[in-house]
């Protein structure tokens, strides 16, 4: 690494065509948080060694600050910023003087703005004139936000709203520390203050939503903060007419479709707007129709049945379970036509919403299992349907020999549900629970066996001290099998946190009906946090996991 820095610096001076890239590589190698230099490990760290070497060769690189190419000057400024707090005093004076010269006279506003940012890294607050270019005014506002912290002063928010609506026309969006571009830094700053963020997003959308900056910013608020969906959706709808092409418009509609179900009662205007986009023949129709389904607009059902797709049918099954007969007919048609992959999985999974009515699709489910399409979910649904024939039980028995271990587990459970013969299932799960695979996946399917799975308890007991996911699933399965929560509850309580495994542990704990007192503060933090504690999973089709976390925590507190 130490040899690399002088070599890269030499190359940056003597290889004009790659100068900007080489300078950025140096900046990235030296990237660190200023607070890191106070930590005990810093002197011996590889980044510290890079920074020492970079400080030594920096005088040789300062000529790049006046290079004829704007990208080189911007990259050189990032090299200086990377070691700003580490420069010796005599070099610091020289560097600051050059930065001030760039800020005062560089012909490219983006370079002036960068110079202002780097001066800020040295602790200098430089006067920004009313006549300064927009890029400079925006950089100054961002520096002000960093210093003040949220909630941001109104004048800084107004400046960002006015000067940040239009992206920099250059194509050299080099990152700053943390490998983030200026746009990413600005978005990070704004999302710390949701009211300021919504104000800026509204102004940017009103100005034309250039580059979808305003609508994307609004989306970040919904992803970061709770209970902001009404304001966010209003902004996203306002942004629709500003989208430059069909692809961008479809993207905005998909975002609306994802968040609209969080509104208790979407307004009539919103419904009507979505119908306008759904009644077209281009790629905007499906996301608009999906949004209407998630908004529980019964008029959308007719359109779904007229132009069905796996995603639309799965969403309709979730929101319109009373339309079982119509939707099952459409699902059967799609399955009979040979739906495979994720489409087949979505279609078969949708049948679980309909209870006993799903038996109408029994022929298609059997064909899926026979032909190897969506086999895992098909096996599960056949077990739930409860119709046992020799053909089905033979197919399930054959599937228990599959090289796909998840299919083995699903087939074993379904075979037991249809035959009440536990021996094949127990033999299958004994093999699965002693394998080196994703054991928690198999444990999570055991619930239908109940106490019949008692012979598996020695294997499950040994997994109670395994990794997080396996411990959680083992504790959950232990409770299912024994009916007693004593072993499960301490493990589940320990695992409850705002993570995917913690959410699953909370769901399992809810089923035990127990709430230890030591967990109450954690659950209250889940309920009352204004920030989302779990990241979005828009492909799950099951809503936002953070909403589920909050709902479960609230229910458990109320019951306890």
């Amino acid at each position: 690494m130490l040899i690399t820095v002088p070599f890269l610096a030499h190359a940056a001076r003597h290889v004009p065509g790659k100068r900007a890239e080489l300078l950025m590589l140096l900046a990235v190698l030296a990237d660190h948080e200023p607070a890191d230099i106070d930590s005990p490990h810093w002197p011996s760290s590889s980044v510290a060694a890079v920074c020492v070497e970079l400080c030594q060769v920096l005088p040789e690189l300062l000529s790049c600050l006046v290079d004829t190419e704007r990208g080189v000057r911007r990259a050189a400024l990032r090299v200086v910023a990377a070691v700003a707090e580490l420069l010796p005093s005599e070099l610091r004076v020289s560097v600051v003087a050059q930065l001030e010269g760039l800020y005062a006279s560089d012909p490219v506003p983006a370079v002036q703005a960068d110079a202002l940012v780097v001066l800020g890294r040295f602790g200098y607050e430089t006067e920004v004139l009313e006549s300064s270019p927009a890029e400079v005014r925006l950089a100054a506002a961002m520096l002000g936000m960093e210093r003040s912290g949220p909630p941001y002063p109104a004048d800084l928010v107004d400046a960002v709203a006015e000067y940040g609506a239009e992206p920099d026309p250059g194509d050299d969006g080099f990152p700053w520390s943390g490998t983030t571009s200026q746009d990413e830094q600005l978005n990070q700053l704004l999302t710390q203050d949701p009211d300021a963020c919504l104000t800026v997003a509204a102004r940017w959308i009103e100005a034309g939503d250039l580059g979808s900056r305003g609508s994307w910013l609004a989306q970040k608020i919904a992803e970061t903060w709770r209970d902001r969906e009404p304001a966010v959706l209003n902004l996203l709808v306002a942004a629709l007419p500003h989208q430059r092409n069909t692809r961008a418009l479809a993207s905005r509609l998909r975002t609306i479709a994802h968040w609209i179900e969080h509104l208790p009662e979407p307004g009539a205007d919103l419904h009507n707007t979505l119908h306008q986009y759904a009644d077209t023949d281009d790629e905007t129709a499906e996301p608009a129709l999906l949004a209407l389904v998630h908004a529980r607009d019964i008029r959308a059902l007719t359109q779904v049945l007229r132009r069905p797709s796996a995603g639309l049918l799965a969403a309709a099954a979730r929101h319109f379970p009373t339309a079982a007969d119509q939707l099952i007919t459409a699902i059967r048609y799609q399955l009979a036509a040979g739906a495979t992959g994720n489409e087949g999985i979505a279609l078969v999974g949708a049948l679980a919403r309909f209870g006993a009515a799903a038996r109408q699709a029994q022929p298609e489910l059997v064909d899926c299992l026979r032909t190897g399409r969506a086999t895992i979910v098909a096996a599960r649904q056949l077990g739930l349907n409860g119709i046992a024939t020799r053909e089905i039980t033979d197919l399930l028995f054959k599937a228990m020999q599959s090289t796909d271990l998840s299919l083995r587990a699903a087939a074993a459970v379904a075979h037991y549900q249809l035959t009440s013969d536990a021996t094949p299932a127990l033999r299958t799960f004994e093999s699965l629970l002693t394998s080196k695979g994703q054991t928690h996946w198999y444990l999570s399917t055991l619930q239908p066996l109940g106490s019949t799975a008692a012979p598996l308890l020695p294997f499950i007991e040994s997994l109670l001290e395994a990794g997080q996911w396996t411990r959680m699933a083992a504790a959950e399965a232990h409770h299912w099998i024994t009916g007693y929560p004593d072993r499960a509850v301490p493990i589940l309580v320990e695992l409850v946190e705002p993570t995917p495994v913690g959410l699953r542990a909370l769901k399992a704990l809810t089923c035990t009906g127990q709430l230890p007192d030591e967990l109450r503060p954690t659950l209250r933090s889940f309920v009352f946090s204004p920030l989302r504690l779990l990241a979005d999973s828009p492909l799950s089709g099951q809503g936002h996991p953070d909403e589920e976390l909050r709902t479960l925590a609230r229910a458990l507190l109320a019951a306890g």
Side-chain angles (χ1 to χ4, degrees), residues 281-340:
D281 293 323
D282 58 36
E283 63 181 290
T284 65
E286 182 160 338
L289 189 50
L290 183 62
L292 287 166
V293 172
H294 284 172
R296 305 164 294 281
D297 187 328
I298 193 61
R299 295 175 294 170
L301 182 60
T302 301
Q303 293 170 281
V304 170
L305 294 171
R306 190 170 66 244
R307 53 200 303 174
S309 69
L312 287 173
L313 289 170
R318 181 174 163 214
H319 293 290
F320 306 124
T322 56
D325 289 345
Q326 295 168 281
L327 291 170
I328 290 171
T329 299
I331 290 170
R332 292 183 67 186
Y333 180 85
Q334 297 279 326
L335 289 173
T340 59

Side-chain angles (χ1 to χ4, degrees), residues 46-68:
S46 59
V47 176
V50 168
C51 290
V52 168
E53 290 287 330
L54 187 53
C55 288
Q56 292 175 358
V57 301
L58 189 63
E60 305 169 25
L61 297 173
L62 294 179
S63 61
C64 295
L65 291 172
V66 292
D67 192 275
T68 56

Side-chain angles (χ1 to χ4, degrees), residues 213-232:
R213 290 160 67 82
S215 50
W216 192 88
L217 192 58
Q219 179 181 336
K220 288 297 293 181
I221 283 298
E223 293 171 356
T224 307
W225 296 87
R226 289 173 170 175
D227 305 322
R228 299 284 177 157
E229 294 87 2
V232 167

Side-chain angles (χ1 to χ4, degrees), residues 147-375:
R147 295 187 188 106
S148 74
Y152 303 125
D155 61 326
L156 298 180
V157 176
D158 286 340
V160 169
E162 182 173 356
Y163 301 116
E166 186 171 357
D168 175 35
D171 59 359
D172 52 6
F174 297 131
W176 290 100
S177 63
T179 64
T180 58
S181 67
Q182 183 190 48
D183 276 353
E184 290 170 327
Q185 280 190 313
L186 178 54
N187 289 330
Q188 288 173 8
L189 283 169
L190 287 171
T191 51
Q192 294 177 44
D193 183 343
D195 293 321
C197 194
L198 290 170
T199 297
V200 171
R203 294 267 295 276
W204 287 0
I205 289 170
E206 186 180 1
D209 200 25
L210 299 175
S212 300
R213 290 160 67 82
S215 50
W216 192 88
L217 192 58
Q219 179 181 336
K220 288 297 293 181
I221 283 298
E223 293 171 356
T224 307
W225 296 87
R226 289 173 170 175
D227 305 322
R228 299 284 177 157
E229 294 87 2
V232 167
L233 284 166
N234 285 339
L235 291 177
L236 292 174
V237 171
L240 293 177
H242 297 298
Q243 302 312 299
R244 298 296 191 269
N245 52 57
T246 303
R247 178 176 294 183
L249 180 58
S251 178
R252 301 289 84 70
L253 287 166
R254 280 191 290 272
T255 303
I256 291 172
H258 181 62
W259 292 108
I260 198 169
E261 65 180 293
H262 295 279
L263 297 185
E265 293 292 338
D269 289 345
L270 178 52
H271 283 263
N272 292 337
T273 297
L274 292 171
H275 274 289
Q276 293 175 15
Y277 291 104
D279 292 332
T280 65
D281 293 323
D282 58 36
E283 63 181 290
T284 65
E286 182 160 338
L289 189 50
L290 183 62
L292 287 166
V293 172
H294 284 172
R296 305 164 294 281
D297 187 328
I298 193 61
R299 295 175 294 170
L301 182 60
T302 301
Q303 293 170 281
V304 170
L305 294 171
R306 190 170 66 244
R307 53 200 303 174
S309 69
L312 287 173
L313 289 170
R318 181 174 163 214
H319 293 290
F320 306 124
T322 56
D325 289 345
Q326 295 168 281
L327 291 170
I328 290 171
T329 299
I331 290 170
R332 292 183 67 186
Y333 180 85
Q334 297 279 326
L335 289 173
T340 59
N342 289 335
E343 289 188 355
I345 292 170
L347 290 166
V348 175
L351 293 170
R353 304 277 180 181
F354 301 123
R359 292 170 180 166
Q360 297 174 45
Q362 191 81 353
E364 289 74 28
L365 292 171
V366 173
D367 189 61
C368 282
L369 192 57
R370 184 191 307 111
T371 59
R373 296 179 293 125
T375 50

Side-chain angles (χ1 to χ4, degrees), residues 112-114 116-117 134-144 182:
Q112 289 183 282
D114 287 349
L116 179 67
V117 171
E135 292 89 340
V136 174
R137 302 293 299 276
L138 177 61
M142 290 174 62
L143 287 171
Q182 183 190 48

Side-chain angles (χ1 to χ4, degrees), residues 297-545:
D297 187 328
I298 193 61
R299 295 175 294 170
L301 182 60
T302 301
Q303 293 170 281
V304 170
L305 294 171
R306 190 170 66 244
R307 53 200 303 174
S309 69
L312 287 173
L313 289 170
R318 181 174 163 214
H319 293 290
F320 306 124
T322 56
D325 289 345
Q326 295 168 281
L327 291 170
I328 290 171
T329 299
I331 290 170
R332 292 183 67 186
Y333 180 85
Q334 297 279 326
L335 289 173
T340 59
N342 289 335
E343 289 188 355
I345 292 170
L347 290 166
V348 175
L351 293 170
R353 304 277 180 181
F354 301 123
R359 292 170 180 166
Q360 297 174 45
Q362 191 81 353
E364 289 74 28
L365 292 171
V366 173
D367 189 61
C368 282
L369 192 57
R370 184 191 307 111
T371 59
R373 296 179 293 125
T375 50
I376 295 172
V377 286
R380 288 177 189 156
Q381 190 58 48
L382 286 167
L384 292 172
N385 284 355
I387 300 175
T389 68
R390 179 64 180 269
E391 179 187 21
I392 294 172
T393 55
D394 284 352
L395 284 171
L396 290 170
F397 192 84
K398 180 180 178 182
M400 280 189 274
Q401 323 308 316
S402 171
T403 56
D404 184 334
L405 302 187
S406 294
L407 175 57
R408 281 195 205 177
V413 171
H415 188 275
Y416 167 75
Q417 288 173 305
L418 297 183
T419 66
S420 298
D421 180 3
T423 301
L426 293 174
R427 187 183 306 119
T428 298
F429 276 98
E430 180 177 341
S431 172
L432 292 172
L433 296 181
T434 54
S435 72
K436 295 182 179 180
Q438 298 291 331
T439 311
H440 64 275
W441 290 355
Y442 321 133
L443 285 166
S444 298
T445 66
L446 273 175
Q447 186 173 16
L449 273 70
S451 60
T452 306
L456 299 174
L457 280 173
F459 306 104
I460 294 171
E461 292 269 1
S462 69
L463 297 173
L464 291 173
E465 302 300 326
Q468 282 193 330
W469 276 105
T470 301
R471 290 179 65 210
M472 178 279 302
E476 185 179 42
H478 194 281
H479 177 236
W480 288 336
I481 294 168
T482 66
Y484 296 105
D486 297 351
R487 292 295 306 278
V489 168
I491 294 171
L492 296 173
V493 168
E494 181 183 340
L495 292 173
V496 169
E497 57 183 349
T499 61
V501 67
L503 173 60
R504 180 66 182 272
L506 182 58
K507 291 168 68 174
L509 185 65
T510 302
C511 293
T512 70
Q514 295 198 10
L515 173 57
D517 286 340
E518 67 266 25
L519 192 59
R520 290 180 183 274
T522 299
L523 296 184
R524 282 193 287 268
S525 72
F526 292 173
V527 172
F528 296 110
S529 170
L531 283 164
R532 292 202 181 279
L533 302 178
L534 275 176
D536 203 356
S537 54
L539 299 180
S540 71
Q542 304 294 324
H544 200 300

